[in-house]
Amino acid sequence: MRIGLDIMGGDYAPKATVLGAIAAFKILAPEHKLVLIGDKPAALSILQENDFSADNFDFIHTTEVIGMGEHPTKAIVQKPDSSISVGFNLLKEGNIDAFSSAGNTGAMLVGSMFSVKTIPGVMRPCMTAIVPKLKGGLGILLDVGANADCKPEVLLQFGVLGSLMAESIYNIDNPKVGLMNIGEEEEKGNITSLATYPLMKATDKFNFVGNVEGRDLFGDSADVFVCDGFTGNVILKLAESFYVVTLKKGMKDEFFDRFNYEAYGGSPILGVNAPVVVGHGISPPEAIKNMVLLCRNMVESKLVEKVKQAFQ
């Protein structure tokens, strides 16, 4: 297995990404190879400072970087030697088995759709986030930002994608899928949710448990929470703030500690033809390490192949 890591992506790159690669290497099996994509001399300097052999990695040198504020499509086209563009070319050609970056999220989405492309049958790829549960375990929230507006048929597919991820990556048996809404009753919600409910109720693709509300997010009502990317991103940013607030208040609580995004590494882009994971722009080494490990888990679980089978 060869896992590609964009070492130029993120606010603290390349130092945080290279240190994260070192931490990941110490956990990965010998047959797992990390491919560092970016400024090779800069990476070698950081490795030397930390007395870590460069022989532990493969390197693909690039000369350009896509900034966090750049237009995704223009940047992908105008910067063919950027670490993100080169990473996707490697993924497309099969030279790496997975690709991860804490860089420009839009560029990662565009790169996914233009290079490895969307799995046939999938209308819209989506991004996921992990939600900790009060009694232990976790749930999956999707979409969290890739699609601000969604048709009912797209939300139905998110249910399929989220259910497959819950089973394959987190070993949740027959995961319960809920539709995020403003009430539990079938007749509640906006036009989109009202049209989505009967589609989910009729499907045999996943275990639909009905509407769920925001207050259900940290409980056991569902394992997969489906919503449009606008709603999901608002929920995600609010949830991330819980951890920050507890730190500022001097509180120490195991549950709120699990809101720390560093523990989860990044958000997989589901619905494309290869494992792709996007990390938080402010990712420190710990988050980079876990982003790489999530890539490994996606490859080992054959999640992409399972999605392809589901949408045949």
Side-chain angles (χ1 to χ4, degrees):
M1 181 192 305
R2 290 168 60 82
I3 302 171
L5 173 63
D6 168 21
I7 59 171
M8 309 309 291
D11 294 347
Y12 307 119
K15 186 171 184 179
T17 47
V18 174
L19 293 179
I22 293 173
F25 173 84
K26 295 176 180 178
I27 298 175
L28 293 171
E31 64 270 19
H32 300 157
K33 193 72 174 181
L34 256 179
V35 182
L36 306 190
I37 306 163
D39 188 335
K40 183 177 179 179
L44 293 176
S45 176
I46 296 167
L47 291 172
Q48 188 174 16
E49 289 173 4
N50 289 272
D51 194 27
F52 197 80
S53 175
D55 294 337
N56 292 318
F57 305 113
D58 285 347
F59 295 87
I60 302 293
H61 179 65
T62 62
T63 60
E64 296 177 307
V65 178
I66 294 177
M68 296 300 247
E70 291 192 60
H71 188 281
T73 306
K74 290 181 180 178
I76 287 285
V77 173
Q78 295 173 359
K79 291 186 173 181
D81 200 44
S82 66
S83 49
I84 288 179
S85 297
V86 170
F88 276 116
N89 283 333
L90 293 168
L91 189 62
K92 178 183 178 182
E93 298 298 326
N95 294 315
I96 55 177
D97 299 298
F99 180 50
S100 56
S101 173
N104 186 307
T105 299
M108 290 294 288
L109 284 165
V110 170
S112 296
M113 297 175 70
F114 284 179
S115 61
V116 294
K117 301 187 183 302
T118 304
I119 290 171
V122 175
M123 297 177 184
R124 296 276 189 90
C126 65
M127 296 179 65
T128 71
I130 297 302
V131 179
K133 292 190 174 185
L134 277 166
K135 294 181 180 180
L138 52 82
I140 296 172
L141 175 69
L142 72 169
D143 180 27
V144 293
N147 306 278
D149 297 294
C150 296
K151 295 180 179 180
E153 294 80 7
V154 173
L155 293 176
L156 176 68
Q157 290 194 348
F158 290 172
V160 177
L161 293 170
S163 182
L164 287 171
M165 181 178 175
E167 289 179 336
S168 302
I169 303 296
Y170 299 107
N171 300 313
I172 300 174
D173 184 45
N174 195 28
K176 296 175 287 186
V177 179
L179 176 64
M180 186 60 68
N181 210 329
I182 59 171
E184 295 180 357
E185 298 84 0
E186 186 171 346
E187 65 275 7
K188 286 286 184 72
N190 57 18
I191 294 174
T192 302
S193 58
L194 287 170
T196 302
Y197 191 101
L199 297 180
M200 290 189 166
K201 187 177 181 180
T203 190
D204 60 358
K205 296 286 187 180
F206 52 80
N207 177 20
F208 181 54
V209 295
N211 288 327
V212 289
E213 300 178 82
R215 63 184 177 184
D216 300 317
L217 198 61
F218 311 117
D220 296 321
S221 298
D223 302 300
V224 177
F225 300 86
V226 174
C227 58
D228 60 78
F230 183 93
T231 303
N233 194 266
V234 171
I235 293 173
L236 174 62
K237 297 296 172 59
L238 176 62
E240 286 181 347
S241 73
F242 293 165
Y243 176 67
V244 177
V245 169
T246 58
L247 292 180
K248 290 182 177 179
K249 290 289 187 180
M251 298 167 56
K252 185 65 178 176
D253 184 274
E254 184 275 335
F255 173 67
F256 287 112
D257 285 346
R258 289 194 284 134
F259 282 86
N260 184 357
Y261 71 91
E262 294 180 27
Y264 308 110
S267 299
I269 299 178
L270 298 183
V272 295
N273 280 295
V276 178
V277 178
V278 183
H280 205 301
I282 57 173
S283 291
E286 177 70 10
I288 299 296
K289 177 199 76 176
N290 287 320
M291 181 171 69
V292 170
L293 297 180
L294 179 55
C295 280
R296 176 203 62 187
N297 294 344
M298 290 182 70
V299 176
E300 288 185 337
S301 69
K302 301 186 184 300
L303 176 59
V304 171
E305 286 74 13
K306 292 173 182 177
V307 172
K308 289 179 181 178
Q309 291 174 6
F311 284 89
Q312 280 183 347

